[in-house]
Amino acid sequence: AGVLTGEAAVTLGASNQGMVAGDLVNTASRLQSVAAADTVLVGDTTQRAASGAIAFEPAGEQALKGKALPIQAWVALRVVSKRKGLGRSDRLEAPFVGRDSELRLLKDLFHATAREQRARLVSITGQGGIGKSRLAWEFLKYVDGVVEGVWWHDGRSPAYGEGVTFWALGEMIRSRAGLLETDDTDTTRSKVAEMVRQHVPDEGERTWIGPALLALLGVGDAPAGGRDELFRAWRTFFERLASTGTVGLLFEDLQWADAGLLDFIDHLLEWSRGVPILIITLARPDLLVRRPDWGAGRRNFLALGLEPLSEPAMHELLAGLVPGLPAAAVRSIVARADGIPLYAVETIRMLVADGRLREADGRYEPVGELGELTVPETLQALIAARLDGLGPSDRALLQDAAVLGQTFTLDGLAAVSGEEKTALQGRLRDLARAELIVQEVDPRSPERGMYGFVQALIREVAYGTLARRDRRSRHLAAARFFESLGEDDLAGALAGHYIAAWQAAPEGPEGDAVAVQARLALVGAADRAQNLGSPEGALGFFEQALLVAKDPAERAPILERAGRAASHALQPDRAEAFLREAIDLRRQMDDPAGMFGAAAALGSALISGRRNEDACAVLEPALAEAEGAASPPDLAALLGALARVRFSQDRVNEGLALADRCLAIAEREELHELLVEVLINKGSLLSKAGRPVEGIALVEAARRLAVEQGFPAWEGRALVALSLNMAIRDPRAAVELEREAIALARRIGRRDMELTLIGNAGEDSLRTGEWDFQAVAFASLDELEIEPAIRLPMEGASTVIGLLRGTLDMEQVAARYQALSGGAQDNDLASNAIDMRAWGSFVGGRFDEASASWLEMAELSTLNAPYVLPRAATAALLAGDAAGARLALDRLVATGAHGRALDVDRMAIRAGLAALDGQTSDAVALYRTAIAGWRDLGLPWDEAVTSLVFVRLAGAQQPDARVAADSARTILEGLGAKRVLEILDASIASAGDPSTGGRERERDSEAVGTGSVPEVDAH
């Protein structure tokens, strides 16, 4: 039979000879690849082979070239299922109308994803009944028929409380592994291992991807490394799938998803590079209430809001279902539907149930006169009217099913209803014929053999008609059924049923008993959420548990755990509130020992928010009380937190003593994560104490331990500390470490760490001459919403480069950094505003002001002192201020910091001092050595600045200075440092007499052409 289109003829088989087996299997798929707008004629054999997936109507006999006799032909109308008839409804399907442009857009994006090898997210939102699921179903039928390789997955988020943690993602993995609901733990492990072997070729990757997928399914513990490691493993699995075909991920009912799932979708879109992954989410507008920034700033994101259908589209829909529907009835339905297609479909279903419509020849037709058509005003009322038309027992059965959720098993329904399964099967078939429920029959689905409501709204209306007094018993029955299954991944569902049972009837002794069960279940669900790296999800469960936990002894530990979850979720204000209440409760209970852990957690949360003084106010008295009273882990946590504060406060010796005490306990108690953290902190403290080699050795040890224990985030923290230590010794080597750490941060999805590293690497790249590094590194972050207190220090190098190139205005820079200095409890953070002020003075030729600002910054921040004191000395030399340069040099020596780069810094400063003292030959010799040192270290910026000072102090007529000036010009032109080139030109044009200091500075300032620089309050 020939498939004839407007563009080509595709032969699928010969009607006289039959079709080969392979063609029979793939006929429907190949037909679906034909453009929908074309007229498709097929013969009998093709029609029979494809009728499970394609709707046809007779087209009469057709004469074909080469055929002696006419052949019966059929017109292909539309695709009604996937291949082999999978997913086809037993009832008539309404025509797909009014969404052609949206479907075409999805198809285009699908092919673009494969062609461009990039991840995309399409967020489809709209009110209930607007047609989100139908649009997705039409797209899935199309995808099922394309010839390219596609790995398709779909999952639904159930409407339980705060959301079952990663439920939809777990459904996808179950489906990919071919797991059934009845599979036991051993079968699950075996099938997951086989799936990973099939799709992940690298054996090393399989060792950490497999356990992470099992943890998602509630089998075994999550691997070390927490959320970062889990997200990395799940993402890598989909990326490996995408290496052999486009990966499709359809998340339905995302408005009910847990926060962790939303974060994973963000993570997948943001970090998957160079792989074809198309993510489609379906949600009601409620999602945008929970996540107002959903998709904001994300690359390759498209928001698709579905609007109500037009009146012509609604007329077309009704005409496709009931060609003979009277015009009055059509007008009444269209007027009430208000563009919601489900309203029209439900009205037709109501008329079928009433016997006023019947099916005939693939359409509905009226049975006699319809009479007066009374249609409820709202969709919910219409559905309620349909349910009211059921018998009492069927309506009660639907209510029982609604308690279980959008989908449910026969076993679960039997447990809630108290009826025998054999009796239920027949009744469910009747409800399916009434188009209220459907049965999942896809053998690849983890829900095979399960039932589900035709529409989520039907389930919601059915549940809403259940009296509150009846909800408790049904939810308790559902909870006990889930408990009997003993599966960890059902923890969220179990908790949802218990809290719903309590909320339905919280009063009396029975309400108190249910509250106890709800509290235990909610804490268990929170444990699972934390185990899967979803602190936001855990926080939601803890907050629900606090609703039912009234006894202080029960409430206090939940508050402490909620505080830690909020801290991990980067919500410091909420963490503080929970933990302070926990501490107060412990005091009321006269339980000082119990408050130490909460105090340590509160101190850490305050430190993370850069509130060091507030942290001290909590930690110091808590530690004084804890001596001899706290458990070793709590005491170690207090010691470690306070040592971290002492680092930021530059109280180095106190910090080292605290760190040593903490390390002794952590090693003895095998507190591995705390051990890694405090080793890093102690190494950083040693560097501040002028013992950098010893500090580097400790941080290297911490890094090795982090790798051994599977703590990738702490491995990254160690790299940050190593690069900071290396930056004053060998900036080029520091940049290599920082780039390695940035790659790690991106691999594990740690944006906070990446930002810190981009800032540090940008500053070091300023010296190595790689000025475009910062622009490239920050390019993907430009549209992200990042707090100014975090963002501004991270983009400091970009700001400095803009000032040096003359592309930024100092007034704008000063305004941005003003906020950093006000009220900051972190000296290193507050010093950023002073640094910007100093650079503004420098490019404006006010070198004495620049020197004074950098000296002030070094006084405020011991961490930054070894970096900025050489700048202070350089600016003082440019100002002809020998005393200022000597002061900066003496303070630099006093820091105890040393290394190759600092050695050259000191040499360059001494060269300038010799020039100012009139020791020209000594100055020239020292400058030659210093410039050679910068070249050996590969630091062109330092070479250019040293050459600039050389020229300014020795005069352009000095032969070596003239050579240095030419070299500096080449470097500065290559960097595009326009403002510094102007200073170089002014220095060459000057007499080169250092004794003219202030007068020359005035002339230079005028020559450079800068105005006044606004002061930035540093206090």
Side-chain angles (χ1 to χ4, degrees), residues 418-502:
E419 298 188 31
E420 294 294 329
K421 290 191 292 184
T422 52
L424 288 175
Q425 286 178 316
R427 297 177 61 193
L428 289 173
R429 281 194 294 270
D430 292 339
L431 291 173
R433 280 193 290 271
E435 296 192 73
L436 292 166
I437 65 170
V438 293
Q439 184 175 11
E440 174 63 65
V441 295
D442 189 342
R444 296 172 296 179
S445 170
E447 295 186 349
R448 183 175 68 174
M450 293 186 73
Y451 295 87
F453 286 88
V454 169
Q455 264 286 336
L457 279 175
I458 296 177
R459 180 255 167 192
E460 291 169 35
V461 173
Y463 184 80
T465 61
L466 188 62
R468 291 181 65 86
R469 65 178 179 273
D470 296 327
R471 292 183 186 179
R472 177 199 280 175
S473 60
R474 285 169 166 80
H475 277 295
L476 286 176
R480 287 162 187 151
F481 168 71
F482 283 122
E483 275 182 324
S484 71
L485 299 177
E487 297 177 6
D488 289 346
D489 58 341
L490 296 174
L494 176 65
H497 284 300
Y498 270 127
I499 191 67
W502 177 78

Side-chain angles (χ1 to χ4, degrees), residues 713-727:
W714 286 110
E715 180 189 354
R717 278 282 303 276
L719 284 169
V720 172
L722 287 171
S723 64
L724 282 172
N725 210 324
M726 188 63 70

Side-chain angles (χ1 to χ4, degrees), residues 140-401:
L140 176 54
K141 290 186 291 187
Y142 172 78
V143 170
D144 190 63
V146 299
V147 295
E148 297 91 349
V150 181
W151 301 103
W152 185 262
H153 311 77
D154 55 69
R156 182 188 304 275
S157 296
Y160 290 130
E162 290 296 318
V164 183
T165 310
F166 297 113
W167 181 268
L169 187 63
E171 278 193 332
M172 293 178 177
I173 296 301
R174 286 183 179 278
S175 176
R176 177 56 52 212
L179 286 163
L180 306 180
E181 290 293 326
T182 54
D183 285 340
D184 58 19
T185 298
D186 290 340
T187 303
T188 299
R189 289 184 183 277
S190 174
K191 288 186 176 181
V192 168
E194 177 57 33
M195 175 186 69
V196 173
R197 276 194 299 271
Q198 180 182 353
H199 299 296
V200 182
D202 184 85
E203 186 174 355
E205 288 185 339
R206 292 199 292 264
T207 61
W208 47 269
I209 290 176
L213 293 176
L214 287 171
L216 175 65
L217 303 181
V219 178
D221 294 329
R227 173 196 185 116
D228 299 336
E229 192 68 11
L230 286 165
F231 276 21
R232 176 169 75 109
W234 300 341
R235 167 171 54 85
T236 303
F237 174 73
F238 287 120
E239 288 174 348
R240 297 300 170 264
L241 275 178
S243 67
T244 57
T246 302
V247 168
L249 303 172
L250 173 65
F251 294 92
E252 298 188 62
D253 289 333
L254 203 68
Q255 73 275 2
W256 290 321
D258 57 292
L261 180 61
L262 298 178
D263 288 342
F264 176 70
I265 294 172
D266 274 343
H267 170 92
L268 188 62
L269 179 68
E270 189 169 349
W271 297 100
S272 291
R273 306 292 174 94
V275 289
I277 299 178
L278 178 62
I279 308 165
I280 300 175
T281 63
L282 310 182
R284 297 183 191 174
D286 309 21
L287 173 65
L288 302 180
V289 176
R290 289 180 54 200
R291 283 281 180 104
D293 60 343
W294 173 246
R298 299 291 185 265
R299 61 189 183 91
N300 302 323
F301 170 80
L302 175 68
L304 190 58
L306 297 189
E307 299 294 332
L309 294 179
S310 64
E311 280 199 18
M314 293 293 292
H315 280 275
E316 184 182 352
L317 184 150
L318 290 169
L321 274 175
V322 191
L325 193 63
V330 171
R331 286 195 299 271
S332 176
I333 295 172
V334 170
R336 290 287 175 85
D338 203 21
I340 306 300
L342 182 60
Y343 186 99
V345 172
E346 282 298 307
T347 303
I348 299 302
R349 288 170 176 165
M350 180 184 71
L351 295 174
V352 172
D354 290 347
R356 288 190 281 176
L357 293 178
R358 67 183 175 192
E359 185 178 350
D361 298 326
R363 295 285 190 276
Y364 288 117
E365 63 180 22
V367 179
E369 295 294 327
L370 287 182
E372 184 66 24
L373 192 60
T374 303
V375 184
E377 292 188 3
T378 67
L379 179 55
Q380 284 78 4
L382 175 58
I383 294 172
R386 285 193 65 206
L387 299 184
D388 287 342
L390 298 172
S393 61
D394 285 341
R395 188 165 60 249
L397 187 62
L398 274 183
Q399 291 171 332
D400 293 338

Side-chain angles (χ1 to χ4, degrees), residues 708-937:
E708 291 171 5
Q709 295 294 327
F711 300 143
W714 286 110
E715 180 189 354
R717 278 282 303 276
L719 284 169
V720 172
L722 287 171
S723 64
L724 282 172
N725 210 324
M726 188 63 70
I728 56 176
R729 302 162 62 82
D730 186 346
R732 188 164 289 280
V735 170
E736 293 305 315
L737 282 172
E738 286 152 350
R739 290 182 174 178
E740 179 184 352
I742 287 171
L744 172 63
R746 287 175 174 167
R747 190 170 72 245
I748 64 176
R750 283 294 300 270
R751 178 64 73 206
D752 55 341
M753 184 186 300
E754 183 192 16
L755 286 170
T756 299
L757 287 159
I758 285 174
N760 293 349
E763 186 170 347
D764 295 328
S765 296
L766 175 69
R767 301 183 69 181
T768 62
E770 300 164 278
W771 286 18
D772 290 333
F773 167 81
Q774 188 78 351
V776 172
F778 231 91
S780 64
L781 312 180
D782 283 343
E783 296 180 357
L784 297 183
E785 293 184 7
I786 303 170
E787 290 294 328
I790 297 174
R791 184 184 185 103
L792 293 185
M794 300 309 105
E795 62 182 18
S798 294
T799 304
V800 171
I801 291 169
L803 290 172
L804 296 173
R805 286 176 167 170
T807 58
L808 288 180
D809 178 82
M810 187 56 213
E811 291 187 12
Q812 296 174 339
V813 171
R816 293 191 72 201
Y817 279 83
Q818 179 72 44
L820 285 179
S821 59
Q825 296 182 12
D826 185 300
N827 292 343
D828 301 326
L829 177 62
S831 68
N832 282 273
I834 304 173
D835 194 30
M836 289 303 113
R837 184 178 69 197
W839 280 110
S841 298
F842 181 86
V843 299
R846 297 184 299 281
F847 304 120
D848 50 354
E849 295 176 12
S851 179
S853 293
W854 275 317
L855 284 169
E856 180 186 355
M857 181 179 175
E859 186 71 28
L860 180 65
S861 172
T862 303
L863 176 66
N864 285 310
Y867 303 96
V868 300
L869 284 170
R871 297 181 204 159
T874 298
L877 291 171
L878 287 169
D881 180 6
R886 285 192 179 94
L887 174 61
L889 178 60
D890 291 343
R891 289 179 59 184
L892 179 60
V893 172
T895 65
H898 54 83
R900 291 177 61 201
L902 281 175
D903 290 344
V904 181
D905 269 320
R906 286 190 286 266
M907 186 178 298
I909 298 167
R910 292 191 180 103
L913 289 171
L916 287 174
D917 289 343
Q919 302 170 13
T920 305
S921 60
D922 290 345
V924 170
L926 287 170
Y927 271 124
R928 286 176 182 165
T929 307
I931 291 171
W934 292 134
R935 288 175 180 168
D936 287 343
L937 285 166

